[in-house]
mmCIF file of all heavy atoms in Angstrom:
data_model
loop_
_atom_site.group_PDB
_atom_site.id
_atom_site.type_symbol
_atom_site.label_atom_id
_atom_site.label_comp_id
_atom_site.label_asym_id
_atom_site.label_seq_id
_atom_site.Cartn_x
_atom_site.Cartn_y
_atom_site.Cartn_z
ATOM 1 N N GLN A 37 14.935 10.149 -4.808
ATOM 2 C CA GLN A 37 14.462 9.546 -6.050
ATOM 3 C C GLN A 37 14.163 8.078 -5.915
ATOM 4 O O GLN A 37 13.169 7.593 -6.463
ATOM 5 C CB GLN A 37 15.482 9.768 -7.164
ATOM 6 C CG GLN A 37 15.526 11.215 -7.678
ATOM 7 C CD GLN A 37 16.626 11.400 -8.708
ATOM 8 O OE1 GLN A 37 17.610 10.663 -8.796
ATOM 9 N NE2 GLN A 37 16.507 12.467 -9.497
ATOM 10 N N LYS A 38 14.984 7.402 -5.135
ATOM 11 C CA LYS A 38 14.734 6.002 -4.920
ATOM 12 C C LYS A 38 13.435 5.806 -4.143
ATOM 13 O O LYS A 38 12.686 4.881 -4.465
ATOM 14 C CB LYS A 38 15.932 5.384 -4.114
ATOM 15 C CG LYS A 38 15.809 3.903 -3.942
ATOM 16 C CD LYS A 38 17.057 3.367 -3.240
ATOM 17 C CE LYS A 38 16.961 1.853 -3.039
ATOM 18 N NZ LYS A 38 18.082 1.321 -2.324
ATOM 19 N N LEU A 39 13.175 6.636 -3.138
ATOM 20 C CA LEU A 39 11.956 6.593 -2.420
ATOM 21 C C LEU A 39 10.702 6.834 -3.326
ATOM 22 O O LEU A 39 9.734 6.078 -3.259
ATOM 23 C CB LEU A 39 11.904 7.617 -1.249
ATOM 24 C CG LEU A 39 10.616 7.774 -0.475
ATOM 25 C CD1 LEU A 39 10.247 6.478 0.230
ATOM 26 C CD2 LEU A 39 10.660 8.914 0.483
ATOM 27 N N ARG A 40 10.826 7.827 -4.145
ATOM 28 C CA ARG A 40 9.740 8.122 -5.075
ATOM 29 C C ARG A 40 9.479 6.949 -6.029
ATOM 30 O O ARG A 40 8.345 6.631 -6.293
ATOM 31 C CB ARG A 40 10.026 9.358 -5.901
ATOM 32 C CG ARG A 40 9.974 10.664 -5.130
ATOM 33 C CD ARG A 40 10.312 11.840 -6.025
ATOM 34 N NE ARG A 40 10.600 13.016 -5.237
ATOM 35 C CZ ARG A 40 9.712 13.869 -4.759
ATOM 36 N NH1 ARG A 40 8.458 13.601 -4.931
ATOM 37 N NH2 ARG A 40 10.072 14.946 -4.104
ATOM 38 N N GLN A 41 10.581 6.334 -6.514
ATOM 39 C CA GLN A 41 10.467 5.191 -7.440
ATOM 40 C C GLN A 41 9.793 4.018 -6.735
ATOM 41 O O GLN A 41 8.892 3.364 -7.302
ATOM 42 C CB GLN A 41 11.832 4.796 -7.938
ATOM 43 C CG GLN A 41 11.793 3.663 -8.919
ATOM 44 C CD GLN A 41 13.196 3.331 -9.382
ATOM 45 O OE1 GLN A 41 14.195 3.597 -8.690
ATOM 46 N NE2 GLN A 41 13.291 2.621 -10.462
ATOM 47 N N GLN A 42 10.158 3.725 -5.492
ATOM 48 C CA GLN A 42 9.644 2.615 -4.737
ATOM 49 C C GLN A 42 8.129 2.834 -4.472
ATOM 50 O O GLN A 42 7.307 1.940 -4.535
ATOM 51 C CB GLN A 42 10.359 2.396 -3.429
ATOM 52 C CG GLN A 42 11.754 1.809 -3.637
ATOM 53 C CD GLN A 42 12.501 1.700 -2.284
ATOM 54 O OE1 GLN A 42 12.071 2.161 -1.269
ATOM 55 N NE2 GLN A 42 13.676 1.102 -2.363
ATOM 56 N N MET A 43 7.825 4.102 -4.132
ATOM 57 C CA MET A 43 6.400 4.432 -3.843
ATOM 58 C C MET A 43 5.588 4.303 -5.140
ATOM 59 O O MET A 43 4.444 3.722 -5.076
ATOM 60 C CB MET A 43 6.272 5.878 -3.310
ATOM 61 C CG MET A 43 6.723 6.067 -1.882
ATOM 62 S SD MET A 43 5.510 5.383 -0.734
ATOM 63 C CE MET A 43 6.194 5.917 0.783
ATOM 64 N N LYS A 44 6.104 4.738 -6.237
ATOM 65 C CA LYS A 44 5.379 4.691 -7.515
ATOM 66 C C LYS A 44 5.141 3.195 -7.896
ATOM 67 O O LYS A 44 4.064 2.844 -8.337
ATOM 68 C CB LYS A 44 6.165 5.367 -8.616
ATOM 69 C CG LYS A 44 5.362 5.467 -9.867
ATOM 70 C CD LYS A 44 6.097 6.375 -10.891
ATOM 71 C CE LYS A 44 5.284 6.519 -12.158
ATOM 72 N NZ LYS A 44 5.953 7.296 -13.145
ATOM 73 N N GLN A 45 6.088 2.349 -7.656
ATOM 74 C CA GLN A 45 5.982 0.932 -8.000
ATOM 75 C C GLN A 45 4.851 0.265 -7.121
ATOM 76 O O GLN A 45 4.185 -0.634 -7.549
ATOM 77 C CB GLN A 45 7.245 0.158 -7.826
ATOM 78 C CG GLN A 45 8.299 0.484 -8.895
ATOM 79 C CD GLN A 45 9.633 -0.163 -8.628
ATOM 80 O OE1 GLN A 45 9.896 -0.700 -7.520
ATOM 81 N NE2 GLN A 45 10.498 -0.162 -9.601
ATOM 82 N N ALA A 46 4.723 0.757 -5.876
ATOM 83 C CA ALA A 46 3.747 0.192 -4.971
ATOM 84 C C ALA A 46 2.364 0.836 -5.151
ATOM 85 O O ALA A 46 1.394 0.396 -4.502
ATOM 86 C CB ALA A 46 4.200 0.413 -3.498
ATOM 87 N N GLY A 47 2.246 1.815 -6.015
ATOM 88 C CA GLY A 47 0.943 2.459 -6.227
ATOM 89 C C GLY A 47 0.732 3.608 -5.263
ATOM 90 O O GLY A 47 -0.426 3.973 -5.026
ATOM 91 N N ALA A 48 1.761 4.158 -4.715
ATOM 92 C CA ALA A 48 1.665 5.285 -3.779
ATOM 93 C C ALA A 48 2.431 6.459 -4.367
ATOM 94 O O ALA A 48 3.043 6.367 -5.402
ATOM 95 C CB ALA A 48 2.297 4.898 -2.453
#
Side-chain angles (χ1 to χ4, degrees):
Q37 286 177 337
K38 186 177 180 182
L39 173 63
R40 288 180 195 277
Q41 182 182 21
Q42 289 175 354
M43 285 286 187
K44 188 174 182 180
Q45 287 175 349

